[in-house]
Structures are given as C-alpha cells and as structure tokens.
Amino acid sequence: MKKYFVFFLLIILQQSCKIPKEPQDFSAPAERGLTAEHAMVVSARKEASEIGKEIIKQGGNAFDAMVATEMALAVVYPYAGNLGGGGFMVYRLKNGKTGALDFREKAPLGADRNMYLDSLGNADPQKSRFGGLAVGVPGTVAGIFAVHEKFGSLPVEKILAPVIALAQQGFVVTAKQAAALAHHRNSIIKANHENVLFAQSYEAGDTLKNPALAKTLQRLAAKGREEFYSGETAKELVQFLQEKGGIINMQDLAAYQVKWRDPVTFTYDDLRVISMSPPSSGGIVMGQIMKMIRPYPLHEYGHNSLEAIQVITEAERRAYADRGFYLGDSDFVDIPSEMLLSEDYLKERMSSFSFQKATPSSTIGHGNIPVAESLETTHYSIVDAEGNAVSVTTTLNGAYGSKLYIEELGFFLNNEMDDFSAKPGVPNMFGLVGAEANSIAPEKRMLSSMTPTIVEKEGQLYMVLGSPGGSTIITSVMQTILNVTEFGMGMQQAVNAPRFHHQWLPDEVRFEPNGFSETTFNTLQQKGYNIEVGESTIIGKVDAILVLPTGKLEAGADPRGDDAAAGF
Ligand code: DON
C-alpha cells in the first residue's frame, strides 16, 4: 500500500496536467459573476466566450456557438482546446428534449491490450503519455461537424470566420498561460524541436499568432469534416504520426465516427441531473455519489463542515471503487448502469459508513453486481437566446496532450490512450486504477471522467456546468451543484468555493488551501482520514451558468484559471 502511495506521489509530481505553482488569484474581474438577460457563454478564455456570444448575437443558436467556442479554444487555449483531441457534449433543447454527443478519441485499429507493457510485463507510462503511440484517433473535428449537421443554423464559414481571424491576428498571452508554456517548454521541445511555435518564450502581454492553424481552419470551413478524416489534413497528420512512432493510419481516420448517446439522468430532491454516459464515468459516478449522500441533511451540517466532508468522502470512496471495476466503453463491455444507480444497491454500499471512523479504502472493493462482466481538459457552458443549453468538456488529456505539435497544421495531439487501463491495478496519470472493462482494444474508447452536466429544477433549465481536472472532475461538478442547492450559493460563489476530493485510491482526501479549518483537518485525521493539503492545489476549474428565479442568467467563471463569461 505504501509503495503504491509513493508511486502515486511520483506520478502527481511528474504529471503534465498539473497547473504550475502560482498563487491563486481569487479576485473577480467583471467577466466573473456576470449576469445577462438573454444568452451566456462561459469558457476558459475571454476570447472564446466572446466569439460564442457574438455568434448567438448574429442569430446563431447554442450549437453554432458550440462550434465557434470549441474551435476558438483550440486557438487561444492550446493547453486543452483542440483539434487533436476529443470530448463530450450534453444538451437540452428549449423544448426540454435532452441528448449527448460522444466525440471521444478511439484506440487505433492496430491497438493491442498489451501495447504499453515492457518486456517484463510492466506498464510503461512513457509510452502511453508521450510520443506517437500515446495518441488516440481524434474526435473533435467530427464532433463539431456532427453538432452542426444536426442542430446548426448558420453556415460553417460564418461560424469559423471569427476563429480564423483570431488565429491570424493573434491573441494576448495571459500570465497564467505564459507560466504554463514555460513549465512545459522542455517537454514540448523534447517531443518536437526548439523552433515550434509553442516552444518559444512568451511573456504576459505578448501576442501569439498561429497562421498554420488559421489555414487548417480555412480548409475545414471550405471542405468540411472529410478534410480532417481523409483529405490533405488527414495525410499530413498520418505522416507526422508515423514519423513519431504512432500507429494511426488513414484507415483509422476514415473509420472514426462520433456517437449520439442517451445521457445518464437521475434525481436529487427537486433537481433532475442530466450528465454524460459511458464511455465517460462522469454521469454514473456523480449519480452514485449524490444518491448515497442524499439521505443525509447536508444543509444542516453546513458547507465544508466536518460532517459534510465525511459523508461526501465516504460516498466518493465507494463510487470510485465501482468506477475502477465496472466502467469502460459501453460499446465493448456491459455496464450495469441501472444497478449501479439503484437506491437499494447504494444504500447497501453506504451501510458500512460511520461518523466515528474513516472506512479504509483497503476494506472497500467494488460492489457485488452479479450481471456484470466487466488540466488538461477544458469545459464550456452555453445558453442561447431561445433557451437551448449546451455543456461541453473537451480534452487532449495531459497539458498540451502528448506534446506532439504538427507545425504544418498548427495543433497539438492528445495522449488520451493513457486513460485506458494499461494493466489492471496500475494507476494512470490521475492515479485511477482500472480493470478489464477499461482494457485496450481496437476502436474502443478509453474511460473518461469528463462530466458535462445540465440540471433541471421543476422541469425547467436550472444549471449548465462542467470542469477539467481528470479524476477530480466528477467531484468538482458535484460540489458546485451542492453549493447551489444545499448551501444556497449563487453561481459565481459556488464556483469559487474551496473544494476537496477523494477517489478511493489513493486513500487520501485532497483539499484546496484556504476555506477549511485546522480543527476540521485534525478531527478528520483522528478519525483515520489521510489528508493532503497542497498550497497550490487546484481541484477543477468549473465554468457554469445558473438560471436565476427572474429568468436572468448568472455565470460562474472559475478564478482558478483565466476563465471568463460573455453574455447579453
Ligand atoms: O477524460 C478524462 O477523464 C481525462 N482525459 C481528462 C483529463 C483532464 O481533465 C486533465 N485536466 N486536468
């Protein structure tokens, strides 16, 4: 157990997704806590939110804004915004109809369950995180075109025009962005060479232009989805990857398809939560946790009180244990979703909980269900002028993904293959352990924690939210919902509030600094909880929208990043 813990710490130290150490700036500029009458876009960057808002102002709907915002983030937030990654979208139409789109990366046709094992049979994280072999078949471009085809109202050329202009004219590098680029500079050079655009030194205030990406986007605007999956862009991509030791070929790109899926839905008091289904674990795990904590009077315990932390931690521990065993790509494995979310099963799971003492994770396995076999990411939330809502989380996995940057095309490639379980029981970069359900197979999608979510109250649109943060995504989203519904906070306040996280293994509760008392920590330790408080720990970056009783929209843009809202 101790060996495992040390290994996890090492992973945490190395893991590329970690935000560079810098003081947390919780001062809220005007774009935070913004309220608007008609429409709102909240994303990791002001420029992306503004472009999304303008598209709606020009008569576009939330789906047109999704296409624009997704691509704008690829320009202005290459840390996670992408053409070379994937993601998930949950939506709710103005008529109340809901759905989800899976544009997650897939394993290449030549993938093999043992592809990341060395000659001794040990998992080699270098292979699943860096270089060509780490890259999953990208889904983002297929995602935006699928959204546009089904729901778009403006022409693609019109939607992409401001994004192309942004890539051509450049954007201003923020202090956080300059720090992140400096932090990852050596690994970007190692994966590519010294002269690539993102290996240059940038200071806050510099303007960064990406003409290569502008050209790629121009080709996509003119030729559509196939440009990426079988056209010139596809050929460049495959040639580049093969030089870097990758196995993705033209057949892989041609075979890539998005999937429209039914979201996971569950109730919590008077709320109906609509969230992402497998291959994301987000909806199911969040549903399990919220149903396990539901019988406890959290509101009476108080926000971040000892009792609330205990109840939530113990529910998280049990849900993440199930995640590791039962969850994977539902196109490949049977997932007992109904059972995992059933009241009786979850009541039984919580029956070993006591306020007196922590339940050690070593004594908790996955539950017994007989039928079953088996930072960096970014989130944006959109509500348009008609009341359609879109919740999208998209990722390259690690910061700048595999760090592989295609100069000719102007974008980074993901290292999403690390989200598979390379070997049962061996943790991935987020310390998550998996099992057979998440083993590698050709064309399979790797299990995700991304949790794009929409919440209804009394049948009406209430909240749109999500977060980056690997394994901490699910608990960040859930705490934000609880902050509003149990603890009476507004949207911005709920997003700002300090967060904590437990994921079964490693057996520790991680806390953000500030906002938790020494007494709480001491009592938790006395009760047997291992606690981990990092001075610069950031848990999630939530971008959210709340529909106020007046019908106005309130944004919550996370001050942990450069996140900003735009609305009118
Ligand atoms: O899909 C997932 O769960 C991960 N690839 C997400 C990665 C992430 O959130 C990185 N951000 N810190």
Side-chain angles (χ1 to χ4, degrees):
M1 196 62 211
K2 200 166 169 205
K3 205 168 109 210
Y4 173 77
F5 188 59
V6 170
F7 179 56
F8 177 74
L9 278 183
L10 279 175
I11 300 244
I12 279 287
L13 286 174
Q14 303 172 335
Q15 65 134 300
S16 47
C17 176
K18 199 88 181 166
I19 289 107
K21 289 197 186 320
E22 61 200 23
Q24 287 185 60
D25 174 10
F26 282 87
S27 60
E31 304 82 4
R32 303 219 169 97
L34 190 73
T35 54
E37 291 283 343
H38 307 288
M40 184 81 83
V41 182
V42 194
S43 80
R45 285 288 301 238
K46 186 176 173 186
E47 296 85 340
S49 301
E50 283 292 338
I51 284 180
K53 179 194 89 177
E54 281 306 318
I55 290 292
I56 300 174
K57 259 196 166 167
Q58 288 168 24
N61 60 28
F63 300 95
D64 297 317
M66 178 275 179
V67 174
T69 308
E70 178 79 29
M71 289 297 101
L73 285 166
V75 174
V76 80
Y77 194 61
Y79 195 52
N82 66 82
L83 271 71
F88 299 108
M89 173 181 87
V90 171
Y91 66 86
R92 183 183 185 279
L93 302 180
K94 59 185 174 192
N95 63 11
K97 199 171 171 305
T98 59
L101 178 68
D102 169 359
F103 55 101
R104 178 76 162 166
E105 298 90 326
K106 294 181 91 167
L109 290 157
D112 174 274
R113 58 184 293 120
N114 297 326
M115 65 192 279
Y116 301 119
L117 301 186
D118 63 17
S119 54
L120 298 174
N122 296 321
D124 178 356
Q126 288 295 321
K127 281 195 189 163
S128 58
R129 286 175 212 170
F130 302 100
L133 216 50
V135 183
V137 183
T140 297
V141 174
I144 57 164
F145 280 102
V147 168
H148 187 261
E149 193 185 322
K150 190 163 168 134
F151 293 117
S153 70
L154 298 178
V156 172
E157 292 83 349
K158 187 167 179 173
I159 297 172
L160 291 183
V163 185
I164 293 167
L166 182 67
Q168 281 166 340
Q169 290 155 19
F171 58 90
V172 175
V173 173
T174 66
K176 285 189 172 106
Q177 192 161 35
L181 280 166
H183 185 80
H184 294 287
R185 184 158 184 259
N186 286 341
S187 25
I188 293 174
I189 292 174
K190 198 171 155 204
N192 304 283
H193 59 82
E194 284 211 350
N195 300 326
V196 295
L197 185 65
F198 292 99
Q200 308 312 305
S201 300
Y202 292 100
E203 285 180 18
D206 287 352
T207 297
L208 201 161
K209 299 179 184 176
N210 191 342
L213 183 52
K215 281 194 189 132
T216 303
L217 291 167
Q218 270 165 339
R219 287 200 305 278
L220 291 182
K223 299 184 179 165
R225 176 200 194 276
E226 293 324 314
E227 169 58 22
F228 192 91
Y229 290 95
S230 56
E232 277 314 303
T233 305
K235 287 183 194 140
E236 292 261 14
L237 178 61
V238 166
Q239 195 190 334
F240 173 85
L241 270 174
Q242 300 206 334
E243 279 162 21
K244 298 288 182 187
I247 54 170
I248 292 179
N249 58 29
M250 293 299 282
Q251 270 170 300
D252 286 302
L253 291 177
Y256 185 86
Q257 295 294 341
V258 301
K259 281 235 164 163
W260 293 96
R261 298 193 187 272
D262 289 331
V264 166
T265 57
F266 60 91
T267 54
Y268 182 90
D269 289 344
D270 56 350
L271 305 184
R272 178 168 172 259
V273 181
I274 303 139
S275 191
M276 195 61 216
S277 42
S280 179
S281 59
I284 291 183
V285 174
M286 185 164 73
Q288 286 194 297
I289 300 169
M290 290 186 79
K291 285 180 163 222
M292 280 189 266
I293 64 181
R294 175 60 210 93
Y296 299 86
L298 288 190
H299 172 72
E300 281 171 31
Y301 299 154
H303 177 246
N304 283 349
S305 63
L306 176 70
E307 292 86 348
I309 294 171
Q310 277 193 271
V311 169
I312 293 170
T313 296
E314 293 298 344
E316 288 173 353
R317 185 195 310 280
R318 287 156 175 82
Y320 276 83
D322 277 353
R323 178 196 193 277
F325 187 77
Y326 288 111
L327 301 190
D329 182 350
S330 51
D331 292 344
F332 284 71
V333 289
D334 290 331
I335 298 176
S337 309
E338 245 175 66
M339 183 69 175
L340 285 167
L341 286 167
S342 77
E343 306 279 345
D344 289 348
Y345 172 72
L346 293 169
K347 201 169 154 208
E348 169 60 27
R349 288 290 274 162
M350 275 303 260
S351 62
S352 54
F353 163 59
S354 141
F355 278 106
Q356 302 311 312
K357 205 171 173 309
T359 317
S361 287
S362 53
T363 65
I364 291 279
H366 56 82
N368 229 343
I369 299 179
V371 291
E373 298 286 304
S374 64
L375 259 190
E376 201 43 57
T377 303
T378 192
H379 177 85
Y380 53 94
S381 296
I382 303 177
V383 176
D384 71 16
E386 294 167 24
N388 299 303
V390 158
S391 186
V392 183
T393 314
T394 181
T395 191
L396 290 165
N397 195 25
Y400 311 102
S402 59
K403 319 288 191 267
L404 289 175
Y405 179 76
I406 317 179
E407 280 184 286
E408 292 74 15
L409 302 178
F411 59 83
F412 284 99
L413 287 163
N414 70 80
N415 58 349
E416 218 72 60
M417 292 295 283
D418 190 63
D419 273 348
F420 277 116
S421 178
K423 187 178 177 183
V426 174
N428 73 357
M429 80 164 76
F430 303 104
L432 291 167
V433 287
E436 190 50 39
N438 191 30
S439 62
I440 306 170
E443 294 205 88
K444 191 173 171 185
R445 289 174 157 103
M446 51 300 277
L447 183 61
S448 173
S449 302
M450 291 191 280
T451 314
T453 299
I454 292 177
V455 183
E456 287 175 356
K457 187 174 179 163
E458 288 151 15
Q460 303 297 314
L461 179 65
Y462 187 47
M463 254 184 268
V464 185
L465 76 167
S467 176
S471 52
T472 68
I473 292 174
I474 305 168
T475 52
S476 299
V477 171
M478 184 197 64
Q479 284 171 80
T480 310
I481 298 175
L482 294 179
N483 287 349
V484 174
T485 192
E486 291 282 359
F487 306 117
M489 297 184 199
M491 196 72 264
Q492 187 64 55
Q493 195 190 359
V495 166
N496 292 359
R499 297 191 269 264
F500 62 95
H501 171 75
H502 191 285
Q503 60 179 48
W504 177 49
L505 293 175
D507 190 353
E508 62 176 22
V509 198
R510 247 187 278 167
F511 291 88
E512 288 187 323
N514 313 320
F516 299 92
S517 74
E518 276 305 310
T519 321
T520 303
F521 289 148
N522 291 338
T523 318
L524 283 170
Q525 276 173 323
Q526 280 158 18
K527 289 177 184 286
Y529 291 92
N530 302 312
I531 66 168
E532 197 46 51
V533 193
E535 239 176 70
S536 55
T537 296
I538 283 175
I539 298 180
K541 281 191 221 161
V542 177
D543 282 340
I545 302 170
L546 176 69
V547 182
L548 300 172
T550 56
K552 268 194 180 182
L553 306 169
E554 184 196 345
D558 206 317
R560 293 162 181 82
D562 292 318
D563 306 42
F568 68 92

